[in-house]
């Protein structure tokens, strides 16, 4: 399969990699769409994103969607051809979050993230023709939501989280600083909540 791989600063290639095979509890997704995040751009420009520095080549991409291509043993409720997006985070280690942080898995001490060099070995992303993922990371797309729009699920979740953290917006004036993809999605999410934009 072809995959978009960053090898170092300024060095992004389309490499040929082996097709993945689903392991127990996994599915393989035939990727159809992917959004380019600022972290993908940072890996290309600088060979890292924040404190995550490339130690070896990395398949980019965590804003992805496609269709289930094959299903591994032990997976139920998933059909070949089903349109899905992916929750790109996986908690690492047995540490439990304190009760006050219940449900806020983004604050877990160690998280493996699609297309990230934060841990070693790195976690390949989804800018590839196929990607094996754990079945519990799948997010089935509702009827009427295309895989093209499904690739917006992860950045939209970021925007919705930001808007929810702002509290009640009805009747308030909101300023969004930045009009990139996340900024545009924050505007859409905020507008849905009823402020005076």
């Amino acid at each position: 399969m072809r995959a978009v791989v960053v090898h170092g600063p300024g060095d992004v290639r389309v490499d040929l990699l082996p097709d993945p095979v689903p392991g127990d509890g996994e599915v393989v997704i035939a990727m159809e769409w992917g959004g380019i995040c600022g972290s993908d751009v940072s890996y290309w420009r600088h060979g890292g994103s924040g404190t995550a520095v490339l130690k070896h080549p990395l398949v980019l991409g965590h804003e992805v969607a496609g269709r289930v291509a094959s299903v591994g043993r032990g997976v139920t409720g998933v059909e070949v051809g089903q349109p899905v997006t992916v929750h790109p985070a996986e908690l690492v280690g047995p540490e439990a979050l304190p009760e006050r942080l219940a449900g806020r898995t983004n604050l877990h001490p160690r998280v493996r993230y699609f297309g990230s060099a934060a841990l070693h070995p790195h976690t390949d992303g989804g800018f590839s023709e196929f990607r094996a993922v754990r079945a519990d990371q799948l997010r089935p797309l509702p009827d009427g939501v295309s895989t093209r729009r499904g690739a917006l699920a992860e950045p939209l979740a970021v925007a919705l989280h930001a808007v929810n953290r702002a509290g009640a917006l009805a009747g308030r004036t909101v300023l969004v600083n930045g009009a990139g993809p996340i900024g545009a999605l924050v505007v859409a999410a905020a507008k849905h909540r009823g402020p005076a934009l």
Side-chain angles (χ1 to χ4, degrees), residues 1-21:
M1 70 170 181
R2 291 170 299 174
V4 178
V5 180
V6 62
H7 289 259
D11 186 3
V12 173
R13 308 174 198 170
V14 176
D15 290 345
L16 290 176
L17 302 177
D19 288 352
V21 175

Side-chain angles (χ1 to χ4, degrees), residues 12 113 119 152 170:
V12 173
Y113 209 78
L119 300 178
L152 289 171

Side-chain angles (χ1 to χ4, degrees), residues 51-146:
T51 60
V53 178
L54 286 175
K55 293 180 176 55
H56 54 77
L58 170 72
V59 177
L60 293 171
H62 57 267
E63 303 172 6
V64 294
R67 295 180 187 278
V68 174
S70 59
V71 178
R73 286 189 319 168
V75 176
T76 59
V78 178
E79 297 179 15
V80 171
Q82 183 175 5
V84 295
T85 187
V86 178
H87 177 53
E90 174 186 357
L91 305 184
V92 177
E95 300 91 352
L97 287 172
E99 182 71 28
R100 65 188 171 81
L101 299 177
R104 297 188 63 194
T105 55
N106 60 308
L107 300 177
H108 194 272
R110 287 175 48 91
V111 178
R112 214 170 247 297
Y113 209 78
F114 269 39
S116 172
L119 300 178
H120 188 73
H122 304 332
T123 306
D124 282 334
F127 286 175
S128 51
E129 290 182 273
F130 300 97
R131 176 64 157 86
V133 302
R134 289 187 354 260
D136 64 352
Q137 289 181 275
L138 293 182
R139 299 299 183 265
L141 296 176
D143 290 342
V145 175
S146 67

Side-chain angles (χ1 to χ4, degrees), residues 29 32 39 58 84 98 103 107 115 126 161 165 168 171 177 188 197:
I29 301 172
E32 295 181 0
S39 62
L58 170 72
V84 295
L107 300 177
H161 177 69
R165 300 272 299 165
N177 185 9
L197 291 174

